[in-house]
Amino acid sequence: MKHFVVPESSNWPDFISSTCPGQWVEDPLGPDFEHQTLDFGTDAEGPAVATLIRYRPAGFRQRLGRKAQGIVLSVHGWSDYFYNRELAAFWHHHGYHFYALDLRRHGRSLRAEHALPGYVDDLADFDEELEATLELLRKEHPRLPVVAQGHSTGGLILSLWIARRQPEIKALVLNAPWLEFQGTAFLRIPIHGLMEAITRTNPRRKLSGPEFDHYWQSLSTDSHGQWDVHRLWRPRVAFPNTAGWLKTIFDGHALVAKGLKLQQPIFVLTSDRTHIGTTYSPDMQHCDSVLDVQQTRLRAMKLGSFVTLSEIPGAMHDVFTSGEPARAAAYRDLSLWLRMVGTAR
């Protein structure tokens, strides 16, 4: 994999400025990355902007050129943003133009006016930036197929978008997608009802509860992890949960449980085991400390008729942030799957 030398995220601003329409500017990730703002005016939470990031290493046209296999659109999870340079380089190596989207009120799309980072009360609100991005990619790279890639909540958002809107997506790669509430549907159903009742009167109501930082500890170089993550964009404690946001997540889980009937080939990566606790443990470097992987794999089979499961021993929640040898195993399995479904050279 390519070695990257870039400024530490501690030197990045809390909020980045919006670009002019259609303007690409150098991204904080370094000279091989650019971003542009997608501006949708305002919504009930303030500026409605998303940020599209692209990977353009030196000489990328010569390396891809007419041999390009397609385009990848990557979507992050909750309380998250795109920062994985190695993942972009992997896709580029396999012949793909790589793009990532920081959804509204996440990462580069956060603005000082946003009182509730990440908040939406309907996951369909993200359709606007997903479809605007898809249109832009079609113009930039006509006739190339698009592969959608989503992590955690991003995997749920992409799956529901494809089921609802039927965009022209050739394949779907899901990295530990959040497809069911931790535990079982038996827990989700009563909590869903409670969130529906609260949402009728105050969807923005913050839900009180314990705050945990163990996943951040397993991820960040400021603790036990290997990744330099922005203090505001990937915070130590996740964005506040609200009744409206949790209700729309449960709405999505209920739809997945009924079956989405997606037609695309789907590749789902997870760790081989779960360790959910209230405090950090070194074992969390080698397992999913956020989601129940058994429930994830069970619900993944409800997504469509062509689902491939990859179980990565020793992987973390975000499989592509795991330590070695788990991370190498994840890239190996993804490479094999791409060849199997005919989307890589």
Side-chain angles (χ1 to χ4, degrees):
M1 288 293 180
K2 182 172 180 176
H3 178 67
F4 297 91
V5 179
V6 296
E8 294 182 358
S9 66
S10 59
N11 296 319
W12 301 1
D14 286 350
F15 307 104
I16 64 173
S17 301
S18 295
T19 67
C20 297
Q23 178 190 25
W24 291 100
V25 302
E26 184 173 315
D27 190 75
L29 281 176
D32 288 346
F33 293 86
E34 299 174 328
H35 72 258
Q36 71 165 273
T37 305
L38 306 178
D39 193 335
F40 305 104
T42 59
D43 60 17
E45 302 304 314
V49 298
T51 311
L52 185 62
I53 305 100
R54 70 181 179 184
Y55 179 54
R56 287 170 62 93
F60 87 104
R61 290 189 183 278
Q62 290 79 5
R63 285 199 291 271
L64 286 180
R66 294 181 180 178
K67 296 181 180 179
Q69 298 294 303
I71 313 161
V72 169
L73 173 59
S74 183
V75 177
H76 56 80
W78 173 244
S79 301
D80 210 351
Y81 70 103
F82 174 70
Y83 57 84
N84 194 330
R85 307 174 187 90
E86 183 182 84
L87 184 60
F90 166 87
W91 281 106
H92 177 79
H93 175 75
H94 283 75
Y96 283 80
H97 297 283
F98 180 87
Y99 292 81
L101 185 64
D102 278 8
L103 300 167
R104 64 186 64 190
R105 290 181 282 283
H106 290 80
R108 298 162 181 82
S109 307
L110 268 173
R111 298 294 183 265
E113 300 94 319
H114 293 149
L116 290 175
Y119 177 78
V120 292
D121 56 19
D122 189 340
L123 294 181
D125 289 353
F126 295 126
D127 289 2
E128 191 170 27
E129 52 251 52
L130 289 168
E131 288 169 11
T133 296
L134 189 58
E135 182 180 356
L136 188 154
L137 299 186
R138 296 287 184 207
K139 290 179 180 178
E140 289 277 329
H141 312 286
R143 296 180 298 279
L144 285 180
V146 177
V147 174
Q149 172 183 269
H151 167 56
S152 198
T153 309
L156 176 65
I157 290 166
L158 284 174
S159 299
L160 296 172
W161 171 57
I162 294 170
R164 181 171 55 246
R165 304 289 293 182
Q166 302 293 313
E168 192 176 344
I169 300 294
K170 183 173 183 179
L172 182 60
V173 175
L174 300 178
N175 169 11
W178 191 17
L179 304 177
E180 181 57 275
F181 183 62
Q182 287 86 324
T184 70
F186 294 108
L187 290 174
R188 167 173 50 83
I189 291 170
I191 300 174
H192 191 183
L194 176 61
M195 293 305 104
E196 286 182 325
I198 297 173
T199 298
R200 291 189 197 105
T201 58
N202 185 9
R204 301 174 83 257
R205 176 177 170 180
K206 294 181 182 180
L207 304 174
S208 60
E211 295 182 334
F212 305 122
D213 70 352
H214 55 270
Y215 180 59
W216 177 89
Q217 287 198 51
S218 68
L219 188 69
S220 174
T221 52
D222 286 337
S223 189
H224 305 284
Q226 301 178 14
W227 298 87
D228 173 27
V229 291
H230 191 281
R231 66 174 189 84
L232 186 65
W233 303 352
R234 170 70 265 185
R236 184 169 190 140
V237 175
F239 296 159
N241 288 335
T242 59
W245 175 79
L246 195 55
K247 174 192 173 295
T248 195
I249 294 293
F250 286 167
D251 288 344
H253 289 169
L255 290 172
V256 171
K258 292 177 181 177
L260 295 186
K261 300 181 180 179
L262 302 183
Q263 300 302 306
Q264 294 83 357
I266 303 167
F267 186 56
V268 180
L269 298 112
T270 70
S271 179
D272 62 330
R273 62 192 180 91
T274 295
H275 177 168
I276 296 176
T278 58
T279 58
Y280 173 79
S281 159
D283 189 47
M284 292 177 175
Q285 303 294 144
H286 310 288
C287 61
D288 193 321
S289 61
V290 177
L291 298 183
D292 183 330
V293 297
Q294 298 287 355
Q295 284 295 319
T296 300
R297 291 195 285 267
L298 179 66
R299 284 293 180 252
M301 304 311 295
K302 290 284 196 174
L303 295 174
S305 59
F306 185 3
V307 179
T308 305
L309 300 179
S310 172
E311 183 179 286
I312 306 297
M316 290 169 54
H317 173 51
D318 182 341
V319 173
F320 294 115
T321 66
S322 305
E324 301 295 2
R327 192 157 85 242
Y331 283 122
R332 177 204 63 204
D333 285 8
L334 179 53
S335 298
L336 290 171
W337 182 80
L338 290 171
R339 289 198 289 272
M340 180 183 74
V341 299
T343 58
R345 54 175 177 251

